[in-house]
Amino acid sequence: MTAPAAAPPFHRPGDLGEALRLLAAHPEAVPVAGGTDLMVAVNYRLTRPAAMLDLTRIGELRAWSDAGDAIRIGSGVPYTRIVAELATVLPGLAAAARTVGSPQIRNRGTLGGNLATASPAGDGHPPLLATGADIEIASTRGTRTVPVAAFFTGPKRSVLQPGELITSVIVPKAAGPQQFLKVGTRNAMVIAVCSLAVALDLETRRLGTGIGSAGPTPLTAPEADLIELPWTRPGLFNDALAEEFGRRVAAAARPIDDVRGTAAYRRHALAVCAARALRRVWTAAHGTESTR
Amino acid sequence: MKVEMRIDGEAAVADVDRPGESLLSTLRDRLGLYGTKNACEQGECGSCTVLLDGDPVCSCLVATAQCEGREVKTVVGAVPRPVRDAFIACGAVQCGFCTPGLLVSVADLLAREGDPRDPVIREALAGNLCRCTGYEKIIDAVHAAAEAMADEAHRAPARSRAAGSTEETP
């Protein structure tokens, strides 16, 4: 009669504090938001969670806010809303969000889930890397902020510790044109063969790059970002420059052969995508005539 | 654990015995609601599409326990008559397995856009696979349904004005 009731196997916290307390008390509970990764594994009996922790009722995770020079996106905001509400201020991320799965998947899938799964092919990752986003992580011990470039530690592995939840992603507002390109077999429901994000910052005159699905983790391309661009005479931009950028991006990739493509194809496609993306952002910024 | 929700406008209770039970599994295996089809169970095919609080989702990827207090609409409750009629009239149904999911996606699209163009239709239906029709007849059906619903809306004002006036005048 006085025995404690068995913990319900499905926890439905209404706010973040409660979620973190529940996660600390029930470390076996697997957090679930959109379920677009987790439920596939559950349905195929690849995992059988003893308990789950629902994140979809936590209002603070399902909102985004303007943080001055950045947008703070709650980890539980679905892709559909990123596309509909943030395309102007975060065009690279919105473009990537638009390529995620299908309408059904975008209505459920979240940036927080994308990061927690930490697939090298996650569509959300390249634009976060290209813009230098920060990941905010909370537990009952407190909160910490991790630059996205330091978040991934291996295929489907990250710095996320037991008891921690990703609460938000802080993405700098675009300060210039951005591009996201993704290679796959059709325009929907595709896991990227490779993907690439480029962000041009016209204020700091810097270039940012994020590479997806071409390495054990999503990657940056520091050498490529340092390519010398003709900022003072934009008309001097040419194909040779774009192709050199493509070569550097391809060199930064660490792809493997797998069911979706070969390493050689991925490098080639990345070089083409990178050159194209750089031409597009430069043309968008300066209106100089250049080839596609 | 008991989960209470509304399914096609009616209160429903499901007694779920594992946390990862999907809404699809609950609908079919526990509640005997077979309108929603089970094909891939990985969110690829769209056969199990339902509206959850108004948004199309793959019910195979929703944990039933997440649906406490939520509104679920299946092919039975989500789809206006003209959409169903158009699918039949246009030959957009062959084996029929993808049809419930497609109907739900089309109902959602036409609720948002009265007269969508082909690229918008293809985008909206990108998550629903059909291996029979080649999609052309489905797209024809969406146009036909849009037209039928526009006609209906055109004729409706007389009726809704009448209904409105009776409500407003005590």
Side-chain angles (χ1 to χ4, degrees):
Chain A
M1 200 160 63
T2 51
F10 200 95
H11 307 283
R12 285 189 287 241
D15 63 55
L16 182 60
E18 190 188 353
L20 296 175
R21 283 193 299 277
L22 283 166
L23 199 56
H26 306 285
E28 77 288 358
V30 181
V32 59
T36 54
D37 282 325
L38 177 65
M39 289 297 289
V40 176
V42 170
N43 290 343
Y44 280 75
R45 317 281 195 274
L46 303 175
T47 179
R48 199 171 298 204
M52 287 164 69
L53 180 87
D54 184 22
L55 302 177
T56 60
R57 283 157 204 274
I58 303 173
E60 45 228 287
L61 301 186
R62 298 187 72 82
W64 60 266
S65 59
D66 191 320
D69 51 8
I71 300 289
R72 182 198 175 94
I73 308 173
S75 56
V77 174
Y79 291 112
T80 299
R81 286 186 52 205
I82 293 175
V83 174
E85 299 166 24
L86 296 173
T88 309
V89 66
L90 305 176
L93 181 64
R98 205 174 284 121
T99 75
V100 172
S102 64
Q104 292 93 320
I105 302 299
R106 292 193 289 275
N107 282 337
R108 293 289 289 173
T110 66
L111 214 44
N114 211 203
L115 287 162
T117 295
S119 162
D123 292 319
H125 308 147
L128 297 183
L129 286 165
T131 54
D134 286 319
I135 318 296
E136 205 169 64
I137 297 169
S139 70
T140 48
R141 301 181 294 279
T143 62
R144 60 181 179 131
T145 302
V146 178
V148 67
F151 180 80
F152 307 102
T153 55
K156 300 206 171 181
R157 283 162 51 177
S158 73
V159 298
L160 204 61
Q161 295 293 313
E164 287 188 324
L165 285 177
I166 298 167
T167 51
S168 67
V169 184
I170 299 154
V171 190
K173 288 180 183 171
Q178 301 182 344
Q179 280 280 312
F180 175 79
L181 287 88
K182 173 174 168 181
V183 176
T185 45
R186 59 179 281 231
N187 267 337
M189 290 310 305
V190 153
I191 301 175
V193 174
C194 63
S195 61
L196 179 85
V198 166
L200 193 63
D201 188 325
L202 301 175
E203 285 158 23
T204 61
R205 294 191 167 180
R206 275 200 309 222
L207 190 61
T209 307
I211 299 171
S213 221
T217 66
L219 299 166
T220 53
E223 291 297 317
D225 294 347
L226 292 175
I227 194 166
E228 218 160 297
L229 292 168
W231 288 103
T232 51
R233 296 180 65 193
L236 292 182
F237 184 89
N238 58 29
D239 279 350
L241 202 55
E243 280 154 25
E244 171 59 18
F245 179 67
R247 274 191 291 277
R248 292 189 189 190
V249 167
R254 288 149 57 203
I256 56 167
D257 295 342
D258 70 11
V259 289
R260 296 198 299 280
T262 62
Y265 175 73
R266 287 183 156 109
R267 274 193 209 281
H268 171 77
L270 277 173
V272 173
C273 288
R276 187 175 298 166
L278 185 60
R279 283 190 203 103
R280 286 183 181 170
V281 291
W282 196 261
T283 305
H286 302 287
T288 50
E289 52 178 309
S290 74
T291 50
R292 295 164 293 123
Chain B
M1 68 185 298
K2 285 205 168 19
V3 181
E4 293 184 29
M5 54 197 148
R6 289 189 77 77
I7 300 175
D8 292 328
E10 308 217 348
V13 185
D15 201 357
V16 173
D17 56 13
R18 61 187 174 96
E21 177 167 319
S22 72
L23 176 59
L24 172 64
S25 176
T26 300
L27 289 171
R28 292 183 59 86
D29 305 336
R30 221 173 264 290
L31 301 174
L33 301 172
Y34 300 120
T36 307
K37 301 302 174 203
N38 178 4
C40 77
E41 284 196 282
Q42 53 182 314
E44 291 275 343
C45 75
S47 300
C48 68
T49 303
V50 299
L51 300 183
L52 179 61
D53 284 349
D55 294 325
V57 302
C58 294
S59 59
C60 70
L61 300 183
V62 177
T64 302
Q66 292 181 294
C67 298
E68 173 70 33
R70 307 277 194 219
E71 172 98 43
V72 177
K73 285 195 174 169
T74 74
V75 65
V76 173
V79 185
R81 186 87 223 183
V83 177
R84 284 185 278 171
D85 291 347
F87 264 63
I88 296 165
C90 295
V93 180
Q94 286 189 30
C95 90
F97 203 85
C98 68
T99 308
L102 272 161
L103 288 171
V104 172
S105 288
V106 171
D108 168 69
L109 169 64
L110 293 180
R112 289 181 288 111
E113 298 216 22
D115 186 19
R117 296 181 333 112
D118 281 9
V120 175
I121 298 171
R122 288 181 186 277
E123 179 85 34
L125 303 185
N128 292 84
L129 298 183
C130 171
R131 299 293 79 167
C132 302
T133 63
Y135 302 102
E136 297 299 330
K137 307 238 178 232
I138 292 170
I139 290 166
D140 292 347
V142 177
H143 288 302
E147 209 170 304
M149 287 165 78
D151 283 354
E152 212 170 66
H154 203 69
R155 284 195 304 273
R159 283 205 299 273
S160 63
R161 262 200 304 277
S165 62
T166 44
E167 270 164 35
E168 279 156 27
T169 320

